[in-house]
Amino acid sequence: MSFEVSHTLMTVALAALLIGGLAGVLGSFLVLRGQSLLGDVISHAALPGVVAGFLMSGSRSFVAILLGALVAGALAGLSVQLLRRGAGLKSDAALGVVLSLFFAAGVVLYSVAQGRPGAAGLQVFLFGQAASVLRSDVVAMAVVAALVLGVIVALWKEFQLISFDPEGARAAGLPVERLETLLSVLVAVAIVLGLALAGVVLMVAMLIAPAVAARQWVNRLGPMVVLAAVFGAGSGMAGAVLSALGTGVATGPVMVLVASSVVAVSLVLAPGRGVLARLAMDRRARRSLHRRQVLEVMAGLSAEHANPAYRSEETMLDAYLGTPARPVLQRLEREGLIRQVPHGPEGRAHWELTDEGQAGDRA
Amino acid sequence: MAALHEPHIACHIEDLTVSYQERPVLWDIDLDIPPGVMAAIVGPNGAGKSTLIKAVLGLVRPVAGHVRLFGLPIAAARRRVGYVPQRQSVDWDFPATVLDVVLMGLYGQLGWLRRPGRTERARAMAALAQVGLEDYARRQISQLSGGQQQRTFIARALVQEADLYFLDEPMAGVDAVTEAAIVALLKAQRDAGKTVVVVHHDLQTVARYFDWLVMLNQRIIAQGPVSQVYTPENLRAAYGGQLALIGTLDAQADKAP
């Protein structure tokens, strides 16, 4: 029994790892090209293909269903291009129209198919169910994934160029439209492979989330794609294992939750681009600005009073700065640029520039 | 191999007409730019300056007319042509270093399946040195200033060692120092026998920077050596009532060599 469980789990985890990794690689290009929603359209559009494949083959034949999904996804991608170039629609409008059209057709077909024997299995493709993946499927997935990755490696510099500067690519003589179409087809293949695991509704998250997270940590395309693959594979595997712990928990949503946590952590923690790093940068900038302001105000007051060691009252510095100057003053005191001196009848806090502070090291 | 058509002219355009939807953008353009000049294309907003360059490079399809570069159609002449698009045409947050971007200039020559190697990297570094950015090779492009971005794009074109360069507003939004550096760089290319064609927006500097001038406002208003073309009549014809400063420019044009 325990052997059986671990055996199934191995299969599932392997499949999720493959799909997550592949989706991360292709998703990187989608995100960089500003085409995240194209992934959403293709995956939603796969639903009518899935059901049509089921209806035509009369059974839950994996191959028929995947072929149906691939054809429908490709048709959807083509329709988007047609609406944009032919009918002059804006990109987002074209994506919205095609997504809802194909998904609506899919839902109608889905309800029609409910009467057929074996239709319960179709539910898998809505939200994904890892346990439905067989060992033989994993082998097929691995072969297809290797082929897709092979194409990406072979056309790496072309895909890089059309992602960064499509017009420059055209000027260099690259067949940009054909390369874009090929990239869309590869995306469709990855989506279709992942349908049984992640489902048509959530598959897009497996494309986008790892890429978004990876972009936070690295600054070149190669490392970004590799890291996105690692994030995707990790999230896929963790999601598959976690969902297998419960009974009947759909795999797709758990995979997506894991991937989203990776995104959340990356958005907050990543050095340079993360929220925390940006806050720290702001804080450093504000501190150095305040520091310079205080020194300049004190030097100005000294000059005005023709007394290099002029004692500025702290409340006056507060007023100049518009915020309590105490923390800034204490830091400057530690740097040895100013010192506190009691002064006046009430003995209120005053500060004067030290010799060092007067020397004018205000950088 | 088809016979060369006007091979002694760097950029030969005949009867070129381009329209977006129904609206003509360029109308019956006849234009010859001789080799070895530094030419400016000037004209008011909407005159079709960028469109003209894009039509020459085959990026927009003309309704009519033909273009020959050194006697060849663009598809056969790509190796000899470098293009610097407007800086804003790409997303500078793309994950790439300055060197990565300059290497992209060689992708067209490398051909399928070949990757940039040591030779290509050396050529890219040489191009970066030409624009004074050799210390920025490993810099992430999102950290560049506008002028540095522009110089990176120019290096990406220079690395191709082309004979004919098209630059779309390379002086837009850069500071005076960078502008002077870019002009010196382009003049050096011209002095080395290359042909440089620049879409330019600043009439005040045209006479100083360029030796050949094309005035465009959907049609060709005038073309030829700057000294002959840069006249008040031509400026008025190209810019019409849009040119509020026409008085001062008249004065300038009279002084122009």
Side-chain angles (χ1 to χ4, degrees), chain A residues 235-293:
Chain A
S235 312
M237 206 164 84
V241 171
L242 284 176
S243 72
L245 294 178
T247 37
V249 179
T251 315
V254 182
M255 282 167 59
V256 170
L257 286 179
V258 175
S260 306
S261 330
V262 177
V263 171
V265 168
S266 304
L267 288 178
V268 174
L269 291 184
R273 302 174 70 91
V275 174
L276 283 187
R278 280 170 200 245
L279 283 179
M281 207 151 42
D282 284 354
R283 195 177 138 94
R284 268 199 304 279
R286 202 164 352 139
R287 277 190 175 193
S288 94
L289 185 68
H290 280 170
R291 177 180 176 282
R292 229 179 25 233
Q293 275 177 332

Side-chain angles (χ1 to χ4, degrees), chain B residues 79 81-85 101-102 104-106 109 123 127 130-131 150-167 186 189:
Chain B
R79 292 272 167 102
V81 176
Y83 172 46
V84 180
V101 172
V102 177
M104 288 180 199
L106 291 169
Q109 303 181 4
R123 284 175 68 184
Q130 272 181 281
V131 300
Q150 194 65 66
R151 276 160 15 180
T152 303
F153 257 13
I154 292 176
R156 184 179 73 162
L158 289 180
V159 75
Q160 300 174 39
E161 292 165 14
D163 297 314
L164 171 58
Y165 291 99
F166 290 96
L167 299 90
L186 296 179
Q189 290 297 315

